[in-house]
Amino acid sequence: PAIADMLGIEADLLQGMPLTQLFSSHGDVTLERQLSDIRHGDRRLLRCNVSAAHAHGGARTIELAITSTEEESEGPRLIIMATDLTELLDAQRAARESDLLNQAILEHAPFCVIATDTVGVIQSINPAGERLLGYARHELVGVATPELLHLDTEIHQRSAQLTAEKGLPVRGFEVFVLPVHEGGVDEREWTYVRKDGTHVPVNLAVNALRDARGDISGYIGFAYDITERRRTEAYVRRLAHHDTLTGLPNRLLLTERFERSVQRSRRSGLRTALIMLDLDRFKDINDNLGHHAGDAVLRAVAERLLANVRGTDTAARLGGDEFVVLLEEVESAEVACETARKFLRELSQPIDLTDLELAITPSIGIALFPDHGHELEDVLQRADTAMYRTKQSGRNGFTLYQHGHA
């Protein structure tokens, strides 16, 4: 509904409409090409500005944040967050074209606008800025600089970055305005500190104000609250890295954590273990009791795995009834074997499905880095081979991979 309102199009008409029909990209790289990169995994997150024609006339500038996630039943899906930047960009353009900010824009703009003199003393702040920051105008104008409104850590980080880039010390107010001396707008994310000490993430665009001769007479910043955008991005990242049914990490996140664990193992000389679990005769549960019962079993297994691993370990679901537990920095294979015994005990406890109790058993296979492979796929394959050895031996047990297993 929000995108429908943004474009003035009925929501039902948007169903099935290609993105490339709704939006046109800015720059040389087409939106279709960028979407192709996302779908093929060449990029994890795409953020770009696009143009869109409003149904009732006029063009809108939209910021798109696009990522993909895997759904078991439907395959890859694109998740899109759209933000209408038209009013913000129009206000920035007006500021660049005019020596003085029109008072009406200042008073009615829906985002925070702060103007300073050349040394950084605040000269004006609009009502939206007062509401965002919790300060009254007289508490800032003529007595404070923007440094009061920012986290010290972020100012120091930006100072160090600019100092390294320019080869000269860049401190204080300069961190906000030095980039605009070279022309254009400096736009980046910052954290504002409100009067009550609470923090709010903002997107801040800073530009220079110039007099009739073209000399800089001050600076102006446009900021808007991106709390909701951050929350949405965090949700999107979680969708991309976690199984939607159980909430456990998926293969993508497992891969990242395996690579991180391997790096630590190389430094410490310890091992990384993968424990693969497959639920015995799980298909019978789905066939006889229905998928809702199967889903409940998978969630219960996930909870028990999480309750029996260390905070540094990772319990992941690869799909179906297949789970993998990554144990970081283990001293020997026996540590992984003892963990497998614990899983056997815990998973053998009946699962309460409201109207009945269900007993399940797992078949488990174990493989280790570097003993059985150096890449995730190699170690997973060895753990999978060991797991099928367990099934061939009667299920409800575990097998540690040995060279020569097939």
Side-chain angles (χ1 to χ4, degrees), residues 5-287:
D5 294 341
M6 196 180 294
L7 302 179
I9 302 174
E10 294 293 334
D12 56 350
L13 297 179
L14 290 175
Q15 296 291 332
M17 187 177 295
L19 284 179
T20 51
Q21 185 176 332
L22 290 172
F23 306 111
S24 58
S25 58
H26 295 169
D28 297 331
V29 182
T30 64
L31 179 60
E32 184 175 1
R33 170 64 182 277
Q34 296 181 83
L35 290 174
S36 177
D37 291 345
I38 286 282
R39 292 191 185 98
H40 289 91
D42 296 330
R43 299 177 67 177
R44 290 188 183 175
L45 176 67
L46 165 65
R47 180 177 288 127
C48 61
N49 288 357
V50 296
S51 298
H54 195 277
H56 302 303
R60 312 296 291 178
T61 299
I62 311 294
E63 181 190 65
L64 297 181
I66 305 174
T67 189
S68 65
T69 183
E70 291 284 338
E71 295 288 344
E72 282 189 26
S73 59
E74 302 177 18
R77 297 180 63 186
L78 293 181
I79 300 174
I80 303 166
M81 180 179 67
T83 305
D84 191 343
L85 301 181
T86 307
E87 291 183 3
L88 175 64
L89 295 178
D90 286 347
Q92 292 176 359
R93 191 176 302 112
R96 288 194 299 268
E97 296 172 350
S98 175
D99 294 330
L100 299 174
L101 184 65
N102 185 286
Q103 191 61 34
I105 296 176
L106 273 174
E107 293 298 321
H108 298 98
F111 35 81
C112 173
V113 182
I114 296 176
T116 75
D117 60 17
T118 55
V119 296
V121 178
I122 295 173
Q123 301 300 300
S124 66
I125 179 171
N126 69 337
E130 292 179 283
R131 291 192 296 271
L132 178 66
L133 294 166
Y135 285 98
R137 189 170 309 190
H138 71 270
E139 295 176 292
L140 298 175
V141 173
V143 296
T145 72
E147 294 166 80
L148 172 69
L149 309 175
H150 288 260
L151 281 176
D152 289 340
T153 53
E154 291 186 349
I155 293 176
H156 294 325
Q157 288 170 1
R158 183 64 174 148
S159 172
Q161 179 186 5
L162 288 173
T163 297
E165 291 176 3
K166 306 299 181 183
L168 294 170
V170 180
R171 300 187 181 92
F173 180 64
E174 284 186 308
V175 305
F176 304 110
V177 299
L178 183 61
V180 308
H181 291 172
E182 300 171 359
V185 178
D186 184 66
E187 185 171 1
R188 65 190 64 252
E189 294 181 4
W190 291 90
T191 302
Y192 271 167
V193 181
R194 294 187 177 105
K195 183 180 179 179
D196 63 6
T198 58
H199 298 169
V200 55
V202 298
N203 188 92
L204 173 63
V206 178
N207 200 0
L209 295 172
R210 298 183 182 272
D211 58 24
R213 295 173 298 180
D215 297 329
I216 294 178
S217 59
Y219 302 93
I220 189 164
F222 300 84
Y224 62 93
D225 185 347
I226 59 171
T227 301
E228 189 58 35
R229 188 176 87 183
R230 288 271 184 90
R231 186 178 296 117
T232 302
E233 288 177 345
Y235 175 68
V236 168
R237 285 194 298 271
R238 179 167 180 81
L239 282 180
H241 288 84
H242 290 79
D243 171 55
T244 54
L245 175 64
T246 64
L248 293 181
N250 59 16
R251 181 183 287 266
L252 177 61
L253 187 52
L254 176 67
T255 300
E256 293 178 3
R257 293 187 178 175
F258 178 83
E259 292 171 353
R260 181 189 65 190
S261 179
V262 162
Q263 290 174 1
R264 280 202 282 265
S265 291
R266 287 193 172 111
R267 289 193 297 268
S268 66
L270 299 175
R271 293 172 170 82
T272 292
L274 291 182
I275 301 176
M276 181 172 283
L277 301 91
D278 186 274
L279 303 184
D280 298 331
R281 298 185 177 87
F282 178 73
K283 185 176 181 297
D284 293 343
I285 297 175
N286 278 333
D287 291 345

